[in-house]
Amino acid sequence: MKFLKQYGVIVAFFLLFIVSAIMDPGNFLRPENLLLLVRQNVDIGLIAVGMTIVIVAGGIDLSVGALMTLAAAVGLTALNQQGPAGGAAAVAIASVVTVGLGTVLGLINGLLVTLGRLAPFVATLCGLVAFRSLALVIGQAGEIRSMSPDLFPRIANEGINLGGNLKLTWGMMIFIGMAVIAHILLERTALGRGWVAVGSNEKASHYAALPVAKLKTLSYLFLGLCSGLAGLIYASRLNSVSTNNMGTLYELDAIAAVVIGGASLAGGKGKVINTVFGVLILALIGNMLVLQNVDSNWKGFVKGAIILLAAMVQRERKAS
Amino acid sequence: MIRWSAIAASLLAASTLFVGCTSSSAPTASGAAPAGGAAPAAGQKVRIGVSIPSATHGWTAGVNWWAEQTKALYPDAEITIVTSDSPSKQVSDIEAMLAKGVDGMVILATESAAITPVAKTAKERGVYVVSVDRGFTEPVADIFLEGDNIGFGRVAAEFMSKKLNGNGKVIALQGLPSTVNTDRLNGFKEAIKGTPGIQIVAEPEGGWNRDQAYKAVQTLLPKHADLAAVWAADDDMALGVEQALKEANRTNVWIVGGGGMKDVVKKVMDKDAMFPATVTYSPNMIASGIHMAVSALRDGNIEKKRGYLPRHMRISVDLVTPENAQQFYFADSIY
């Protein structure tokens, strides 16, 4: 029972997995398809991992989708400024600019919440609209294309060959790496214990002489870093940034994954591994809806119902 | 009343000044203008309000770009462009422009039914109304320049049936659920029905964007090893399809999208085997609409001109092939 309560999402994932496998074994169980589940969701996954930390520390961040777009738009502009012959140096500059700007924007979110004493919902809602708007200005509301036709797309599309059509892409490795780092930070370090304490009871943490503002700011900074990485991988995947629709509603998918993973939106509770399975559940639903050719008007309903079920499997027992 | 019009005039002057600060080829402020009512007095600038959807994907970004281009083309007219991200926002934006005072309104409605009442109000106040792409549910527009979404699907389907010699499996990639999407998809499916040998094996959703289209087709490719072609309800999505096909080494599969995106037209022009043809649905229709409003309203005489202008025009959906692609290619457009 205790296992089910802590890791219910993993059970839910395997149940869904079995159902999918029975419904369409020929297509669903192809190794290629299973790898796609992760590969197509690396960006949402990275954001969800960072979002777990912010939510555990008692915050929320609605700006992530716009943030990754702005970071990637500036990054690609930097890449293109090196000219068509920029080569590896240009790609390195673009990567550093994208991830660095993501981190800085995360820091700004954190400072608005702590020093600015704004509710996280409000501070990051402003980011949601303002970051997007800046990206639109940079891209004239259209698409920014990279001038690196071969090298830049490799970040998301190349990797270690596993034989045949199968590839473990660099993007997938970055996602897995960041998930492991986030897991260790949250479960094994003083920083992680600080985040849990602040999220559970901010006042008590303050009286216990914990650096509350610093801890909260760091949680947003970490999410900014994750979002910057997500922006880099997205931009590399399509070798372009579409400033008007990149990352729209990513904040909701990321928050949904965290909630499916059983974290409490009130803060203080959540596990990175469970969030990863939350992402996989969303990925699996999306995959099955496409493979089964579900009428696109019904998709949202099916998705909503399955998320609801997953959340119900592992909700808290009512205190008796 | 006097005070209101004074406020409206000063707002107008302020906005003209603002435009003057931001654009390089700025017209000079024209002084106070009367609020409301068509047919400006001689010597005064024609005031045109342009209400269009926000740039949420490539095509609407194209609409925005063409609107700005047309504004630059007519420095002697006072053209105000406002973008709205939802029908309710569009209603309030149009109301605001009417309050400020315009002689003509060019409207590309986010939704037909929702915008009709405010268009009617505009008409009742004597504002000249040009409706572009999507019509109103009542005949309130002075000129309706209609886009043909059913034709968008039909023309593509006819080409595909012919190129497939009446046989083969295709994917029909749709956008987001909406009137435009339904019309295009139904137009496509209806026309395909005439060729029973062609089977639509899937109708995934590509959300009008490259990334979602890429992922949806990427997921479906292993399932359909004998796929012959993909129809995409929009050019943004067609590019996503191209990438998915290339990555999976399925370059024998070809694509027909549509919308008039310059990159896709270029590919057709360059005889790219994956893009044998495309269909037009050019965002420059907004430019045509603005042009009509300006030419109808400038130097007065609107009542007489009415007799010279049609009430309803439908913009044909043209099939773009390597032979005629040149005439649909606009090198400096952003879309």
Side-chain angles (χ1 to χ4, degrees), chain B residues 74-331:
Chain B
Y74 293 112
D76 56 329
E78 200 174 291
I79 298 174
T80 315
I81 300 165
V82 176
T83 62
S84 323
D85 52 14
S86 68
S88 63
K89 178 84 186 343
Q90 189 170 23
V91 170
S92 27
D93 287 339
I94 294 174
E95 280 168 349
M97 280 196 267
L98 292 179
K100 203 171 95 177
V102 286
D103 306 308
M105 282 287 323
V106 181
I107 302 172
L108 201 163
T110 45
E111 283 289 346
S112 299
I115 308 302
T116 300
V118 71
K120 213 171 162 183
T121 311
K123 182 79 191 142
E124 280 160 11
R125 291 201 194 171
V127 173
Y128 192 78
V129 177
V130 178
S131 162
V132 178
D133 189 15
R134 257 158 280 175
F136 302 120
T137 48
E138 288 175 58
V140 292
D142 290 284
I143 297 181
F144 174 27
L145 200 56
E146 189 185 6
D148 183 6
N149 280 305
I150 295 172
F152 183 105
R154 192 193 59 239
V155 174
E158 286 165 357
F159 171 81
M160 291 175 82
S161 304
K162 211 163 136 195
K163 181 158 165 77
L164 287 167
N165 288 322
N167 256 308
K169 291 187 173 168
V170 299
I171 287 177
L173 184 66
Q174 45 179 330
L176 286 173
S178 59
T179 321
V180 175
N181 183 56
T182 309
D183 283 353
R184 289 184 181 182
L185 185 66
N186 287 346
F188 180 77
K189 281 159 73 173
E190 278 302 315
I192 283 286
K193 266 188 201 154
T195 321
I198 295 181
Q199 194 193 345
I200 300 175
V201 291
E203 296 171 20
E205 187 183 315
W208 301 129
N209 77 60
R210 202 158 146 178
D211 189 47
Q212 231 178 302
Y214 164 71
K215 287 178 181 169
V217 172
Q218 191 176 47
T219 305
L220 284 167
L221 279 180
K223 186 174 170 181
H224 303 291
D226 50 353
L227 188 72
V230 179
W231 173 72
D234 162 72
D235 277 341
D236 274 325
M237 299 197 290
L239 291 180
V241 176
E242 182 195 22
Q243 187 174 347
L245 290 170
K246 277 190 173 160
E247 273 177 25
N249 289 320
R250 297 278 291 273
T251 46
N252 60 325
V253 179
W254 45 273
I255 311 156
V256 176
M261 184 194 266
K262 67 172 179 184
D263 306 85
V264 173
V265 174
K266 182 90 174 35
K267 283 175 199 285
V268 173
M269 196 155 68
D270 296 346
K271 301 204 169 87
D272 186 326
M274 292 179 77
F275 287 89
T278 184
V279 303
T280 56
Y281 200 88
S282 174
N284 75 2
M285 61 175 73
I286 193 70
S288 318
I290 299 171
H291 167 76
M292 286 179 172
V294 172
S295 59
L297 287 168
R298 78 157 126 215
D299 36 77
N301 250 341
I302 179 67
E303 285 314 320
K304 193 170 178 201
K305 281 188 199 162
R306 263 185 227 281
Y308 292 56
L309 291 163
R311 290 289 303 268
H312 185 170
M313 278 181 273
R314 182 184 285 165
I315 300 167
S316 67
V317 171
D318 295 314
L319 186 71
V320 181
T321 56
E323 290 74 45
N324 67 358
Q326 189 65 48
Q327 71 186 92
F328 300 104
Y329 183 67
F330 301 100

Side-chain angles (χ1 to χ4, degrees), chain A residues 7-94:
Chain A
Y7 299 102
V9 60
I10 301 178
V11 176
F13 171 77
F14 282 107
L15 283 177
L16 267 174
F17 190 92
I18 292 166
V19 171
S20 308
I22 292 169
M23 274 167 72
D24 193 358
N27 295 307
F28 178 75
L29 288 178
R30 270 175 218 268
E32 208 180 335
N33 189 51
L34 297 179
L35 266 183
L36 277 186
L37 285 183
V38 182
R39 187 176 159 191
Q40 292 183 337
N41 294 283
V42 159
D43 40 10
I44 287 281
L46 275 165
I47 294 176
V49 162
M51 189 71 81
T52 310
I53 304 281
V54 165
I55 286 178
V56 164
I60 191 104
D61 189 341
L62 303 179
S63 74
V64 284
L67 189 155
M68 74 184 253
T69 308
L70 176 56
V74 176
L76 264 197
T77 309
L79 177 84
N80 289 346
Q81 264 169 6
Q82 313 301 311
V91 172
I93 290 172

